[in-house]
Structures are given as C-alpha cells and as structure tokens.
Amino acid sequence: MAEPSYASFPIGTRRTWVRLRTLVLLRWFAVVGQTVTLLIATLALGIQVPQLPCALVVLSSAVFNAVGMGVAASTRQLREREALYTLLFDLFQLGALLYLTGGLGNPFALLLMVPVTISASVLSLRATLLLGAVAGVIITLLVKFYVPLELVSGEHLALSPVVVGGTWTALITGMIFLAIGARRVTGETLSMSEALAATQLALAREQQLSTLGGVVAAAAHELGTPLATIKLASTELVEELGHMPHLQEDAALVRAQAIRCTEILRAMGPRGKQDIMVRSAPLLSVVEEAAAPHTGRGIRVITRVEGGLADDPPDDQPQMQRRPEIVQGLRNLVQNAVDFAGSTVWIDLEWTDRDIRVVIGDDGPGYPPDLIGRIGDPFVRRRSRLAAERPAYEGMGLGLFIAKTLLERSGARLDFRNADPVPEDEAAPPEFSRPTGAVVTVVWPRAAPETGLSLH
C-alpha cells in the first residue's frame, strides 16, 4: 500500500472559506442596525442628521445585498477577489455614513475594524493589508472631513482635538491588534485541523494494514491444511504415474502450484498465522516492524538493545502491543531520521522497572536551534533550507506532528533535542557510535496499563 499523501491538506485554503451567505447575513444585520440607530438618534435623542443622504447610503447596502443574492447562490464560496471587493464596499459604505454622522465623534466608528478583521481571518495577507490601508485612510480622513452633529436646540456635538486624536489612535491600534490576533488564531486553527486530519489518515492506513495482515494470516491458516493435502496427494500421484509421463507432468504441476500458493500466503502474512490472536510482541519486534519500510533507502539503520547489537536480544525484553498508533508513530520518527541522516541512524532500546525508552538519533545536521522549541507543531518547516540541503525532500512538516500525536495518544512522552558533540578521541565503529545530529526520545511508563506495555 502506498504511503499516505498529505497533499489534500494544502496551506492557504483559507482563501475559499468565506461564503456569500455569511457576508449577506452580516450586511443585513448592519442595514437593520444602521436604520434603527438613525431612527433613535433623530426621533428619541433629537440629533439632526442629513436624513436623505443617510437613507440613500443605507439603501445602497440593501441594494448591494439584494443584487448579490440574485446573481449567485447564497451557499457559494466567494473567490478572494470577490470577497475583497465586497469588504471594500462595506468599508466605503460605513465611511460614507460616518462622514454624514459626525466622523470619529460617532461611537460606531469602531465598526470600521470589522471588514479588516474578517479579511484577516479568511483572506490572504495581501488582501488584508489592502483593506487595512483603505480603512486607515478612511479613519484619517474622518478626523477632518465630516458633517458635525447638531441637536434640535442648535447645540453642536463636537469632540475636543485631544479626544479625536485619541479615538484615531485607538481605532488604528485596535484594527492592527485585532487583525494580527484573528490571523494568528485562525491560521493555527487551520494548521491544527489539517494536521489532525492527516494524522487520522496515517492512523487509518496503519489500521487497514493491521486488519489486512490479520485477514491474510487467517486465510493462510485456514488454507494450510487443504494445500498440504493437495501437495501430499500430488506427490503420491507423481510417484504412481511413472508409466504415464503426460499425467505425471500434470501431477507435478499441481504439486508445484500448491507449494507456490503456500509460499505466497506465507509472504503476504509475515506476522504469522496467530497474528489475529496475538496482539503484542517483544519491543524489538515492534520497533523493527516500524522501521522496516525505511531500512532499504541507502541509510544504515542500526538497532541496539540495552547497549548491544540486536542480533542476540535478551530474553527479558518487555512486550508491547502492536497498536497502529505506536507502529505508525515510530515509523514516522524513523522516516524523519532517515530523511536527514548523513549515513547512519541509530535506534536504541532501553528499559527499567519504571519505564521503557526508544531513542532514535542520526548523524545529520540536527534540528534548527531557533525551531527546536516548536518541533512537533504542525507545518513547522523551512522550505529554503530544505531546498538547499535536500532537493528531493517534499515534506510538509507533518511527520513529527503525526508521530508526536500518535505516540502521546499511546501514553508516551517525547523529547526532541540535538546530540552533544562527540570528542575526536571517542571515535568508534558505527555500531558503537553515538548520534551526532537530531535525537528524539520516546518514553512509556511501564505502570500505565493503557500503554500496552508489560514486564513479561
């Protein structure tokens, strides 16, 4: 089965998030709110405003909404340019209404931040910067250009220059702060959602492989007796049909095909006929199963048990459940080490009465010092650096996140670090050397029953 592809989780899909219905609904709320506010201001508070121009500005928003609903389905996802033009219209409409109703002296001037915040959440950085610049220009123009508010009694509602300046500063600062906050939070939520979806894909793949192995093992077990019978009977026929060469050849062919079927089933079910009944295996077996797909990629993978080579492992090694999240998590860690290793990857297995450790290290360049604190976060990668050092590398930064998520789900703790420098006088053969690049340590507490680890 092919390795899972994470291309279905592209960065930047936020540009198609906004739907026409969402913006139409918000604009209807704005139309109703603006209408009610103008009525209260004129009828209840006695504030004189240019009623006809204000009514036309509010009506323009209602007409824009009606036209949008008429030319496109409300569930349509807007392209970035369409959403940008829509939000620009909202800015200009609100700016015109504020111009007619006191400028920055109108407390509803803070609503100019809404289109910019929406853009920061769902549109690209370029679109957000454009909307922010337009909003900043509108806010600045409203400092000097506006129709002053006046009561029926003739009293002018004017703010002092200090208050106007403070309002301008607060609006600009608030707009920048809200835009940055909305963009960061939305971006992290998007990355986490995509990464978790990719994690589920990897876990589902491993579960499918585990299920398929069990089915094949069961088939091999059930077909073992019939195939053995066919092989035995065909062997006897070959011996008895010596005087009939043409029939003897047919019997020999039947025997050869029965033997081939047995070999095929044995190769398809490497976990053995008892795989569907035995759910655990020695620690070394589980780790070797996880590392198997990456042992033939030109990088030497050395597995060591309690400081010695794995050729003759001790009999007291702990048992570990062959859970999909454990196998896939360890496999991703080995893959990452092989991807960046110079020539060798070391897998060290250690255990005590309290915990079990799997340490995976390599002789590559190690983790970037400025990113080591974020290792395990989704989509943490450096395209420029990877392109220079590994032209064939096409990772998205998901491997370590998936490994960390799956292994922590099994009860493990992970620690990412760079190896300590190895003194020149400690030079040793690769089998007994220490990693010089990136090192990740996976620790399971043996007392936690949910980890599937035991002392046996």
Side-chain angles (χ1 to χ4, degrees):
M1 182 178 293
E3 289 293 327
S5 172
Y6 306 123
S8 299
F9 310 101
I11 304 298
T13 53
R14 66 165 73 212
R15 300 184 186 183
T16 61
W17 272 13
V18 62
R19 290 187 299 176
L20 176 62
R21 180 170 61 186
T22 301
L23 295 182
V24 166
L25 183 61
L26 290 175
R27 196 172 294 109
W28 282 129
F29 281 138
V31 169
V32 173
Q34 291 168 1
T35 303
V36 172
T37 302
L38 288 173
L39 290 175
I40 293 176
T42 56
L43 300 180
L45 301 179
I47 300 176
Q48 291 185 342
V49 297
Q51 297 181 0
L52 181 59
C54 288
L56 291 176
V57 171
V58 175
L59 182 61
S60 68
S61 186
V63 172
F64 189 88
N65 246 6
V67 172
M69 295 174 61
V71 300
S74 62
T75 57
R76 175 186 171 187
Q77 288 186 329
L78 297 178
R79 293 191 295 269
E80 182 177 46
R81 179 172 296 183
E82 295 171 335
L84 175 61
Y85 289 160
T86 301
L87 294 175
L88 281 173
F89 170 82
D90 292 334
L91 273 179
F92 286 121
Q93 190 267 349
L94 185 56
L97 192 59
L98 290 172
Y99 166 77
L100 296 170
T101 56
L104 296 189
N106 189 327
F108 291 100
L110 61 87
L111 293 177
L112 286 169
M113 296 187 291
V114 173
V116 181
T117 304
I118 294 175
S119 175
S121 301
V122 298
L123 300 184
S124 67
L125 179 60
R126 179 183 300 178
T128 302
L129 291 176
L130 175 59
L131 279 167
V134 172
V137 170
I138 292 175
I139 293 172
T140 303
L141 290 176
L142 289 175
V143 173
K144 293 292 185 181
F145 304 100
Y146 60 90
V147 177
L149 294 177
E150 184 179 349
L151 296 177
V152 177
S153 61
E155 179 184 356
H156 288 279
L157 300 178
L159 298 178
S160 66
V162 175
V163 175
V164 173
T167 302
W168 180 90
T169 304
L171 289 175
I172 297 296
T173 304
M175 180 178 63
I176 295 174
F177 179 81
L178 286 176
I180 294 176
R183 186 164 188 85
R184 288 297 302 271
V185 171
T186 305
E188 291 179 1
T189 302
L190 171 63
S191 297
M192 187 64 68
S193 298
E194 292 174 344
L196 289 175
T199 303
Q200 292 299 324
L201 176 65
L203 182 57
R205 174 186 177 274
E206 186 60 35
Q207 289 173 336
Q208 291 173 353
L209 289 175
S210 179
T211 302
L212 180 61
V215 171
V216 172
H221 177 64
E222 296 297 330
L223 292 175
T225 301
L227 289 174
T229 302
I230 294 173
K231 185 168 61 174
L232 178 61
S234 59
T235 301
E236 293 178 354
L237 287 175
V238 169
E239 296 174 355
E240 295 179 0
L241 295 174
H243 60 289
M244 303 177 68
H246 62 288
L247 295 178
Q248 187 182 44
E249 291 179 2
D250 292 339
L253 180 61
V254 172
R255 180 181 62 181
Q257 294 302 310
I259 294 174
R260 186 186 176 200
C261 288
T262 303
E263 293 174 349
I264 291 175
L265 288 173
R266 186 180 297 116
M268 291 177 64
R271 296 179 181 176
K273 65 181 181 181
Q274 294 181 339
D275 183 73
I276 58 174
M277 294 175 285
V278 179
R279 300 299 184 184
S280 62
L283 175 63
L284 176 61
S285 298
V286 176
V287 172
E288 288 181 338
E289 178 184 347
H294 305 292
T295 54
R297 296 175 49 192
I299 300 296
R300 187 178 182 185
V301 179
I302 299 175
T303 304
R304 300 181 291 201
V305 181
E306 291 288 344
L309 296 180
D311 298 336
D312 186 21
D315 296 332
D316 63 341
Q317 62 177 303
Q319 297 286 316
M320 174 179 285
Q321 287 189 359
R322 198 183 280 114
R323 294 168 57 179
E325 54 264 39
I326 294 177
V327 175
Q328 184 65 43
L330 292 174
R331 181 169 297 162
N332 280 18
L333 293 180
V334 175
Q335 177 183 359
N336 186 77
V338 171
D339 282 341
F340 294 97
S343 61
T344 309
V345 170
W346 293 269
I347 305 177
D348 291 290
L349 311 182
E350 306 168 354
W351 59 84
T352 65
D353 292 341
R354 299 182 58 186
D355 56 42
I356 293 176
R357 295 174 179 264
V358 176
V359 183
I360 301 173
D362 59 66
D363 60 350
Y367 301 120
D370 57 328
L371 295 182
I372 196 167
R374 297 173 55 201
I375 295 296
D377 289 348
F379 304 109
V380 173
R381 66 209 185 281
R382 275 191 173 182
R383 289 293 187 186
S384 58
R385 182 180 181 209
L386 294 181
E389 298 180 358
R390 298 281 325 287
Y393 182 74
E394 297 181 356
M396 297 178 65
L398 276 175
L400 291 180
F401 171 80
I402 292 175
K404 186 172 183 290
T405 302
L406 294 178
L407 292 173
E408 287 181 346
R409 182 174 176 176
S410 71
R413 303 189 312 273
L414 279 75
D415 176 63
F416 299 91
R417 61 181 177 87
N418 286 325
D420 298 327
V422 178
E424 295 182 359
D425 57 357
E426 288 189 15
E431 292 82 359
F432 304 101
S433 298
R434 291 190 293 155
T436 58
V439 177
V440 55
T441 303
V442 186
V443 182
W444 285 277
R446 299 183 74 162
E450 66 274 8
T451 62
L453 304 171
S454 68
L455 297 173
H456 303 293

